[in-house]
Structure formats: C-alpha cells, structure tokens
Amino acid sequence: MAWSNWAGNVTDRATLRCPRTPEEVAEEVRSAAGEGRRIRPVGSGHSFTPIAQADDLRLDLRHLSGILSADRATGRVRVLAGTPLRVLNQALDLLGLAMPNLGDIDAQTVAGATSTGTHGTGATLPGLAGAIAGLRLVTPDGAARWVDESEPDLFAAARVGLGALGIITEIELACLPAYRLRAVERPDALDAVLPRIQEHFDAHRHFEMYWFPGTRRVQTKANDLVADDVQEPLPEWRRRLDDEFLSNTFFGAAQRVITRVPRTVLPFNEVAARALSARTYTAPSHEVFVTPRSVRFVESEYAVPREAVADVLTDLAAWVERRREPISFPVEVRVAAPDDMWLSTGYGRANAYVAVHQFTRGDHRAYFAAFEEIVAAHAGRPHWGKMHTLDAAELSVLYPRHGDFVALRDRLDPDRVLTNAYLDRVLGA
C-alpha cells in the first residue's frame, strides 16, 4: 500500500500493519523478527526526513490513541503513543492540565514528536521529550518493558530514540496545571531585534522570530503567563483574517504564483512582512502555541549554540542577498534549554533553533545546502525529523553520546529489525 509523508517528499510501498493494542504491537514485532523482516513505526508522517520510511513492514499506530490515566494532583498522565497532539491537548484541557511546552504544529503523534526531538520555544524549557516521566518500549525481541529513571541510560536514550531502540506504545507525561498565555505579536526590523535577541529570549517564557528573506523585516512573538481571570480573546474576524486567509489561503495562492514567476518573491515578501500587523490576545496555552498549517512545505532545522544565532542569521541574509533566491517562506528562530537526552539537539547545550522552509513545488536544494554550510561552522545539530545530509561519522562529533546510543542499539537490536536507510545513515549500518 502506497504511503507518503505530509510534505510528499518521502514515499514507500511497504506492507501495512495497523495494530489496535500494545499487545498486537508486540506480536507484530516478534513476528517480524522471527521472519527476518524489517519494520518501522509511523505516526502522522509529519517528518520531512525518511525516518518513518519502511522498506518491508510499516506499523501504523493510529489506533493506539487516547489517555489511559491521569492524576490531576501530580500532573502525571499516561497516554497511548499514537495519540495526535491535537487530541492530547484537548483532552488535557478538559482535565485542567497542559503540556509544559509545544511546537506550533499539533498534527504529530506524541511518540513521533518526542522520538524525533520536536520542541517549542522557551529559554528555560527543553523539547517535548523533556516532559516524559516514563515510557513503555517494545524491544525488537517483542518484550515490553517500562523505562524510567530507574534505568538511567536507557531512559536518556529512549526519550529521543528515533524508533531505533524499540517501538513506544505508551508514554507518561509530567504535565502542568492548565495555564493561559498572553501573546504579543508585532512586526519589527531585523536590525533592531537581532542585536538584542538574547535579551528577548530571556525576557519571555516563550519568544520566537520570523525573518522574511530578502527583506530586513521580521515578525516577533512573545508569550508569557497571565492570570486565569485575564480574558483578552482574539476577535474571530481577526483570527480568520490572519491565521486562515493571510497565512494559509492567500499564502498558498502566492506560493503557486511564485513557483511560476520567481521574480515576484521579493515584492511578495515585502507585502507579507507588512500585512501581519501587531496583535495581542490571551488564550489557553495550546491555543496560543499552535498555528494552522495548510500550505505544504519542506523544512530543514538546525540547533546552534545560543550565542551563535546572530552570526547564523547574518550569514544567511548575506547569502540570500547575493543569490536572490526565490525564498518565500519566513525563517523561524526559536530557543530551548539544555537537557540530558543523548540524541536530543539540546544535550548539554542551550540552543537557538533556525528553521528554513521551501514550498513543496519549489527547488530547495541550493538554499538548504547553503544553510547547512553556514550552521556547520557553529556545530549545528540537525533536527531528526527535518531535512539534513549528515551521516553517522559527522553526527558522532556533534552528539557526545552518539556512540553510547549506537552501542545500546547494538545490544537491543543486533539484527536491525527496526532499521531503514535513514537510520543506517545517521547511526551506522
């Protein structure tokens, strides 16, 4: 059965399996191992890399969805691995709970998002996997084991495990009491924001910036905690104008024009940068974090040391100015705290994240290659679910525990039941 990821740049025709229970997952893994076959788990297919691509068996976890238990007093919530983030967010809200942080897309499954190192923004907050208190892992021998801090090495490896150590069927999350955020979004000048970006990172619970290539204009977003009784909702007409029409309907139509007539990209970016005017509103945290995304794109994202972000943006802006490439998607800049997960981009290092995008019908190759060359000068670590060209030898230099992860993989999956070409490239065959 044909399968494609969200962006359409990764496909396969593997045999499909759709287990409905964790026990069926274990049986599928045991069967694959016994037959000498290879199997890959897949969630929503929102990774831009071939991390979920299967060359033999594809294990679709869509039926493993929903909350298993919740303790409001401790904030501990157990959830099935295939639960989409949008479903999780709504269920947590009904329980009076919330994730400590989120990215701006909620289409991913909770296991897919955490296993690839998905993150939001916030100088004091790690990626989503930092909220994991424990997980149930079906190892390649078909055995299910609970993994938490009692097994520190496996816990440090499995939270961002790339689906290489086993298949996660259940996750326990350390959630917070539900909270509201005040969002302050406004246009600004790159030359004003970039020199002070470290101050912006530290001044807010969450801060991010979008730079429009070929211009000197940016849009900043600062989100901070606000009391539950503060109600400043975004008017519905404004939400429809900004988030549905300008950011999706109009933006998608413009991408199709730019693909046919590349010279229109710079005028478009100038207009787009000015069309998104300032706005302030309050809402539950997940409603502030998440932004609708209906225009398909491909993406590359690297984590660089926080202090390097201004140099990276300066070099990228200079390359865009020289090449005059038709880049119509804004460049996203975020920040996150260090953590102790072996293959997390945040392992032992506070990072800024720079993400570049291109419309699926456009040509991203020169742009993404230039971006990779720029971040390489700053020990950039690639997001595992976003496009990059690095291999195991290069990644072993960037991730201090890469070798330990590979050794653990050798013990858990010596026959490579859970591998594919992408994992062979980034971890070694």
Side-chain angles (χ1 to χ4, degrees):
M1 180 179 179
W3 171 86
S4 170
N5 67 341
W6 178 82
N9 67 311
V10 179
T11 61
D12 71 45
R13 298 191 65 85
T15 301
L16 175 66
R17 298 284 190 266
C18 293
R20 293 183 173 274
T21 66
E23 292 74 22
E24 289 183 10
V25 171
E27 179 55 37
E28 291 288 356
V29 174
R30 277 193 297 271
S31 176
E35 297 171 4
R37 305 184 70 176
R38 305 208 302 184
I39 191 167
R40 288 299 295 156
V42 64
S44 64
H46 218 284
S47 289
F48 302 93
T49 61
I51 191 168
Q53 188 177 52
D55 55 19
D56 190 358
L57 296 173
R58 182 176 354 104
L59 198 66
D60 190 318
L61 302 181
R62 72 181 70 184
H63 297 304
L64 270 66
S65 181
I67 287 179
L68 296 173
S69 65
D71 186 330
R72 296 185 186 184
T74 64
R76 295 296 179 91
V77 176
R78 289 202 178 190
V79 59
L80 287 168
T83 307
L85 290 177
R86 67 167 63 94
V87 173
L88 175 64
N89 292 336
Q90 293 166 359
L92 290 177
D93 192 52
L94 292 174
L95 292 167
L97 298 169
M99 289 286 286
N101 202 4
L102 289 166
D104 60 0
I105 295 174
D106 61 1
Q108 310 100 314
T109 62
V110 62
T114 54
S115 294
T116 55
T118 297
H119 60 93
T121 189
T124 63
L125 298 163
L128 272 63
I132 295 178
L135 56 88
R136 194 170 304 283
L137 189 70
V138 176
T139 48
D141 59 2
R145 60 195 293 180
W146 184 256
V147 180
D148 57 23
E149 291 179 339
S150 65
E151 293 186 87
D153 282 356
L154 184 54
F155 188 56
R159 282 175 289 168
V160 183
L162 315 187
L165 305 178
I167 295 178
I168 297 171
T169 60
E170 178 186 338
I171 293 176
E172 183 174 290
L173 297 165
C175 297
L176 299 177
Y179 57 100
R180 295 179 66 83
L181 293 171
R182 172 179 281 118
V184 179
E185 304 171 4
R186 66 187 185 91
D188 210 325
L190 179 66
D191 298 321
V193 176
L194 199 55
R196 300 182 58 194
I197 196 164
Q198 303 298 333
E199 297 174 40
H200 290 294
F201 284 158
D202 291 328
H204 303 283
R205 190 177 193 269
H206 313 272
F207 179 84
E208 59 190 312
M209 179 184 78
Y210 294 82
W211 165 59
F212 295 84
T215 80
R216 304 301 290 181
R217 301 198 60 80
V218 300
Q219 183 85 0
T220 64
K221 297 186 176 184
N223 303 327
D224 290 290
L225 295 172
V226 67
D228 290 345
D229 59 353
V230 177
Q231 302 286 331
E232 302 170 6
L234 186 67
E236 180 62 17
W237 68 265
R238 183 65 188 274
R239 185 193 68 78
R240 288 181 179 275
L241 174 64
D242 290 350
D243 298 339
E244 293 184 13
F245 178 71
L246 290 177
S247 296
N248 285 290
T249 305
F250 172 73
F251 189 71
Q255 297 309 307
R256 292 186 286 274
V257 172
I258 290 166
T259 300
R260 294 195 301 269
V261 190
R263 67 176 180 274
T264 60
V265 68
L266 291 180
F268 168 76
N269 282 355
E270 286 285 356
V271 170
R274 298 175 187 278
L276 296 174
S277 55
R279 65 182 192 177
T280 300
Y281 64 95
T282 66
S285 58
H286 66 278
E287 294 181 11
V288 173
F289 290 135
V290 175
T291 304
R293 292 278 189 266
S294 63
V295 181
R296 305 285 171 126
F297 56 85
V298 291
E299 179 178 358
S300 178
E301 182 179 47
Y302 273 77
V304 297
R306 269 188 55 165
E307 60 273 15
V309 67
D311 290 338
V312 169
L313 265 292
T314 298
D315 291 347
L316 190 59
W319 182 87
V320 170
E321 182 65 25
R322 289 195 306 272
R323 287 290 299 262
R324 313 293 284 182
E325 288 281 321
I327 303 163
S328 53
F329 275 74
V331 173
E332 185 177 21
V333 180
R334 294 179 286 176
V335 66
D339 60 56
D340 63 352
M341 295 172 282
W342 287 358
L343 290 190
S344 168
T345 49
Y347 181 82
R349 190 175 84 182
N351 286 311
Y353 291 81
V354 181
V356 298
H357 313 71
Q358 185 63 292
F359 187 46
T360 52
R361 300 182 191 177
D363 187 350
H364 67 273
R365 290 172 295 180
Y367 180 33
F368 284 18
F371 173 61
E372 282 201 298
E373 184 176 350
I374 290 167
V375 296
H378 302 282
R381 297 172 177 171
H383 188 301
W384 297 107
K386 298 179 184 179
M387 297 171 71
H388 69 93
T389 62
L390 303 190
D391 61 21
E394 295 164 308
L395 292 163
S396 67
V397 176
L398 297 169
Y399 290 87
R401 303 303 296 269
H402 186 276
D404 295 322
F405 186 96
V406 171
L408 183 57
R409 179 196 188 206
D410 287 341
R411 294 199 299 273
L412 291 175
D413 190 12
D415 297 323
R416 297 296 188 262
V417 176
L418 293 172
T419 200
N420 64 6
Y422 177 76
L423 292 186
D424 287 347
R425 172 164 68 89
V426 301
L427 298 177

